[in-house]
Amino acid sequence: MRRKSMRWAMAGLLLWAGSAQAGEWRGYLSLGAGMALDRLSEWNAKGAAINAYFGVEMPIGLSLGIYGEAAETWGQKFEDIQHDSSRVQLDYRQYGMEVRFRGFRDRMISPWLAVRLARSASKPQTPNEFGQLVRQEFQAMSAAVRGGFDVWLGMNWGLTAATSWQWCDVRYEKEAVRECTRPINSILVGPTLRF
């Protein structure tokens, strides 16, 4: 019974993908700017973020693309003997691959969900075991879950608003163990182009 259900589901998906309503292949290019927020850790860092995405979408709404993002965030103040008072910094740069699924691709408002795997380089300034802020440099694999929507203002251009939860974009050293910070949330808005 289970195999029969799977066959029907696959047949339905193939018929839908091959239908005239499924549309054509498309390309997307989007740029964004906004905020990166460290909502879950004790440092409460926040700051500016920018991103870029370029992808190719199949007629069924599934796309694969390349993605880049950079952020500089500042958080909680620490008293430091050398610098009097300094703030935690959680800065990162990343680039990687993103898979998106877009619903309602021909509507004026087109929502999508995505997962991303990226290479992330971070240079956090975090407190060491003596409470002094130290700058460190790390490279790691990071992952993210993203969601957003495009609002099409013309046939080929519009605005994209997106949010993501990102894991391991920033690493730091705590008691001689390298750990990822808690997930960072980013909120970005910017122009998008489809072709």
Side-chain angles (χ1 to χ4, degrees):
M1 186 67 179
R2 194 173 178 187
R3 283 186 179 178
K4 195 172 185 179
S5 298
M6 287 295 289
R7 284 185 201 155
W8 279 107
M10 290 299 292
L13 183 62
L14 289 171
L15 283 172
W16 177 74
S19 71
Q21 292 180 352
E24 71 282 345
W25 288 73
R26 292 181 177 158
Y28 289 88
L29 175 63
S30 63
L31 304 172
M35 297 284 293
L37 305 166
D38 170 39
R39 298 176 191 263
L40 301 178
S41 85
E42 70 274 16
W43 296 322
N44 193 30
K46 52 184 157 288
I50 58 171
N51 77 346
Y53 171 80
F54 175 73
V56 177
E57 185 178 82
M58 294 184 280
I60 59 172
L62 190 66
S63 64
L64 178 65
I66 54 174
Y67 184 90
E69 183 171 308
E72 297 232 351
T73 70
W74 294 268
Q76 181 182 340
K77 280 187 179 180
F78 278 81
E79 297 304 319
D80 192 322
I81 298 168
Q82 297 171 342
H83 302 98
D84 206 16
S85 179
S86 298
R87 289 182 179 272
V88 165
Q89 281 187 277
L90 304 179
D91 306 339
Y92 65 86
R93 312 281 181 272
Q94 61 156 256
Y95 57 91
M97 303 295 289
E98 182 168 291
V99 176
R100 285 187 184 181
F101 181 74
R102 180 183 306 276
F104 309 109
R105 67 194 297 251
D106 292 320
R107 302 262 175 96
M108 182 180 165
I109 297 176
S110 177
W112 50 266
L113 292 171
V115 291
R116 178 173 72 237
L117 186 62
R119 183 78 175 158
S120 191
S122 60
K123 293 185 178 181
Q125 179 172 275
T126 54
N128 63 13
E129 62 269 18
F130 305 110
Q132 294 176 319
L133 289 174
V134 293
R135 177 79 64 189
Q136 302 168 75
E137 190 167 343
F138 298 102
Q139 297 215 356
M141 292 302 292
S142 65
V145 175
R146 301 184 73 223
F149 61 90
D150 299 330
V151 178
W152 298 105
L153 305 172
M155 284 297 293
N156 297 317
W157 64 278
L159 290 174
T160 295
T163 187
S164 66
W165 286 97
Q166 301 166 190
W167 287 266
C168 220
D169 272 318
V170 179
R171 297 182 75 180
Y172 65 101
E173 207 156 292
K174 187 175 183 181
E175 298 173 3
V177 176
R178 292 184 175 191
E179 296 181 358
C180 295
T181 60
R182 299 275 178 96
I184 292 174
N185 177 219
S186 64
I187 302 168
L188 301 158
V189 178
T192 190
L193 176 69
R194 67 180 170 189
F195 47 92

